[in-house]
Amino acid sequence: MGKEINGVSRSRFEMFSNSDEAVINRKLPKELLLRIFSFLDVVTLCRCAQVSRAWNVLALDGSNWQRIDLFDFQKDIEGRVVENISKRCGGFLRKLSLRGCLGVGDSALRTFAQNCRNIDLLILNGCTKITDTTCTSLSKFCAKLKHLDLASCTSITNLSLKALSEGCPLLEQLNISWCDQVTKDGIQALVRCCPSLKGLFLKGCTQLEDDALKYIGGHCPELVTLNLQTCSQITDEGLICICRGCHQLQSLCVSGCANITDAILNALGQNCPRLRILEVARCSQLTDVGFTTLARNCHELEKMDLEECVQITDGTLIQLSVHCPRLQVLSLSHCELITDDGIRHLGGGPCAHDRLEVIELDNCPLITDASLEYLKNCHSLDRIELYDCQQITRAGIKRLRTHLPNIKVHAYFAPVTPPPSVGGSRQRFCRCCILL
């Protein structure tokens, strides 16, 4: 084998001879062609491989296959394809997405793990055939793994988390959303041996209780993102442990966790000043008191989902307008106590002119056209939701659009009763709602 150039042996370049008449092959150094190929996607590389013998060598060189996303081919991908890719790419492959590849199972991923030991990002979201056996293979061969997505792989159990903890100590992000067989024992094993965890996505892991959160709070000081949506058994006790142990926390989702109270907002305010994203939809026990503490201490908040936080009033909006100048996205859907006065404060706050991009006010019955007037100076406002805001009129929306012509307004109005038909002709008026 000759001397290597950019990972390709010189003997491979001998494939390019004077008989290859393509101008691009005669004019460009082969190293440069290889570099160009490195920017192409999977489809384009496969097409280039069919151009000529020389291009086939370069297009299929492992160095061009460091990042592969096979999502677009999910209906066709079978295990043998993954095995062939792993054999061709070998140690070059760093990032692979098999999202939605329903035909890929444990056997193919064992071959993959054996061949691609430098993998650091692997997405298996929706690969429903895989079991704990796959995580055992990753543990044995892929010690450099940092990001792993197993969302909706419903056969995954605590055994997978124990295997990952033993063989993948560099793990930084793990998504096991909807893996509802996982319990506190698996979480305990994982966090004790993976101290670098920065992102945990546990959405729909319905067996998790406060004890699991206590393990996370005690062993994950670098945690930045935590998603616990619909983990309905957790309470204030577990989340307070998270807040006290994870001071770097920037994103927290506890939507659908109906047992939490203002104690969580107080704990976040006291311990997590870097918080940027908070999703607490359907947490109906939260009140203005808790959001006041939060707003006064977490000044970097950018996105808040307060849908169905039915107890909050304009008082929360006043605090956010004063203390949260970076606010970009705010959902107040079904917050039925919000009035025009709260929107007035928000529209006059520091976030309004340059930051606020989305505000959702659907099913806020007290909101009127006056609120739209207060928002007309929010120059970054891209979208507003107004479904079931019965005091909003077409005229009010039209006035808003004169100031913000590119804004997306989502609303509807009950259809006007059509005039009576004449001469027995068929009804020509649609009774459906009119979408704006």
Side-chain angles (χ1 to χ4, degrees):
M1 187 70 71
K3 180 181 178 182
E4 288 197 354
I5 304 175
N6 288 346
V8 180
S9 67
R10 186 183 299 278
S11 61
R12 293 192 183 185
F13 287 146
E14 293 172 1
M15 191 74 68
F16 293 84
S17 65
N18 292 331
S19 62
D20 196 335
E21 297 298 331
V23 174
I24 191 171
N25 291 337
R26 287 188 280 108
K27 295 293 186 181
L28 289 181
K30 306 313 175 284
E31 299 89 344
L32 183 55
L33 275 173
L34 184 64
R35 177 64 173 162
I36 292 172
F37 284 1
S38 71
F39 293 98
L40 303 181
D41 58 35
V42 172
V43 176
T44 310
L45 280 170
C46 290
R47 289 173 178 165
C48 289
Q50 300 176 57
V51 170
S52 68
R53 247 183 111 194
W55 276 34
N56 182 276
V57 171
L58 293 183
L60 298 183
D61 187 81
S63 64
N64 291 324
W65 296 71
Q66 297 182 44
R67 296 173 296 277
I68 303 176
D69 187 342
L70 295 180
F71 180 65
D72 292 337
F73 309 95
Q74 62 171 321
K75 294 181 180 178
D76 303 320
I77 291 298
E78 297 179 355
R80 60 182 178 79
V81 176
V82 175
E83 293 179 11
N84 291 339
I85 287 175
S86 71
K87 292 172 183 176
R88 173 167 294 280
C89 298
F92 284 110
L93 189 61
R94 299 291 191 276
K95 305 180 190 305
L96 174 65
S97 175
L98 298 175
R99 180 165 57 107
C101 294
L102 303 178
V104 176
D106 293 329
S107 176
L109 286 166
R110 178 177 175 82
T111 301
F112 161 82
Q114 290 174 325
N115 289 311
C116 302
R117 304 192 181 201
N118 290 321
I119 193 78
D120 61 48
L121 183 149
L122 180 60
I123 298 176
L124 301 174
N125 188 321
C127 297
T128 52
K129 282 189 175 181
I130 70 170
T131 70
D132 295 328
T133 302
T134 286
C135 288
T136 300
S137 298
L138 294 174
S139 172
K140 186 174 181 179
F141 300 110
C142 302
K144 297 182 180 180
L145 192 63
K146 292 183 178 179
H147 301 258
L148 178 61
D149 187 344
L150 297 169
S152 299
C153 298
T154 53
S155 295
I156 294 299
T157 73
N158 291 337
L159 294 177
S160 285
L161 302 192
K162 292 176 181 177
L164 292 171
S165 70
E166 294 168 358
C168 304
L170 303 181
L171 202 62
E172 294 182 0
Q173 289 204 33
L174 177 65
N175 188 343
I176 51 171
S177 296
W178 309 113
C179 298
D180 56 6
Q181 297 187 60
V182 170
T183 71
K184 63 180 181 180
D185 294 334
I187 298 297
Q188 181 183 21
L190 176 75
V191 299
R192 282 186 171 175
C193 298
C194 298
S196 300
L197 278 170
K198 293 181 172 63
L200 267 176
F201 300 85
L202 308 174
K203 179 179 180 180
C205 294
T206 52
Q207 292 197 57
L208 296 185
E209 301 172 334
D210 288 333
D211 285 344
L213 304 194
K214 292 176 183 178
Y215 296 135
I216 296 171
H219 294 89
C220 300
E222 303 300 319
L223 195 68
V224 173
T225 301
L226 179 62
N227 190 319
L228 296 166
Q229 184 173 338
T230 68
C231 295
S232 55
Q233 296 192 59
I234 66 174
T235 70
D236 293 343
E237 183 181 1
L239 283 170
I240 288 173
C241 292
I242 294 287
C243 296
R244 290 175 176 171
C246 306
H247 299 292
Q248 308 300 319
L249 196 65
Q250 296 182 22
S251 177
L252 175 65
C253 176
V254 287
S255 293
C257 300
N259 295 321
I260 67 173
T261 72
D262 284 341
I264 297 308
L265 302 181
N266 294 332
L268 285 168
Q270 294 167 9
N271 297 281
C272 304
R274 298 184 180 181
L275 192 67
R276 296 189 299 107
I277 299 172
L278 178 64
E279 299 179 30
V280 288
R282 303 182 303 285
C283 297
S284 57
Q285 297 188 59
L286 303 181
T287 73
D288 292 338
V289 175
F291 284 111
T292 295
T293 301
L294 181 78
R296 289 179 176 178
N297 291 279
C298 297
H299 306 303
E300 298 184 17
L301 280 166
E302 296 176 359
K303 177 183 177 181
M304 297 185 70
D305 184 354
L306 311 185
E307 180 177 352
E308 292 188 38
C309 291
V310 294
Q311 295 194 54
I312 66 171
T313 71
D314 295 336
T316 290
L317 298 193
I318 292 171
Q319 296 299 322
L320 293 177
S321 69
V322 172
H323 300 292
C324 300
R326 299 186 180 184
L327 198 59
Q328 298 176 17
V329 178
L330 179 62
S331 176
L332 299 167
S333 303
H334 295 273
C335 295
E336 298 185 357
L337 302 179
I338 298 296
T339 74
D340 293 333
D341 191 55
I343 302 301
R344 177 174 65 84
H345 282 88
L346 190 68
C351 70
H353 288 282
D354 301 315
R355 297 278 186 168
L356 194 62
E357 297 176 1
V358 175
I359 183 166
E360 298 179 357
L361 296 170
D362 46 295
N363 292 278
C364 294
L366 303 181
I367 295 297
T368 74
D369 287 348
S371 285
L372 304 187
E373 290 294 317
Y374 298 138
L375 294 172
K376 66 184 182 182
N377 292 321
C378 300
H379 303 299
S380 296
L381 199 59
D382 177 67
R383 176 169 61 87
I384 183 170
E385 304 282 340
L386 297 169
Y387 293 114
D388 274 338
C389 295
Q390 297 183 11
Q391 299 192 65
I392 295 293
T393 68
R394 290 186 178 87
I397 293 173
K398 185 176 180 180
R399 286 192 296 270
L400 177 65
R401 281 189 166 140
T402 61
H403 296 275
L404 303 171
N406 297 319
I407 191 172
K408 301 178 185 70
V409 181
H410 296 160
Y412 72 80
F413 299 92
V416 177
T417 302
S421 58
V422 179
S425 61
R426 292 176 59 86
Q427 178 62 259
R428 297 175 60 190
F429 294 90
C430 176
R431 292 182 177 274
C432 297
C433 296
I434 301 170
L435 294 176
L436 292 181

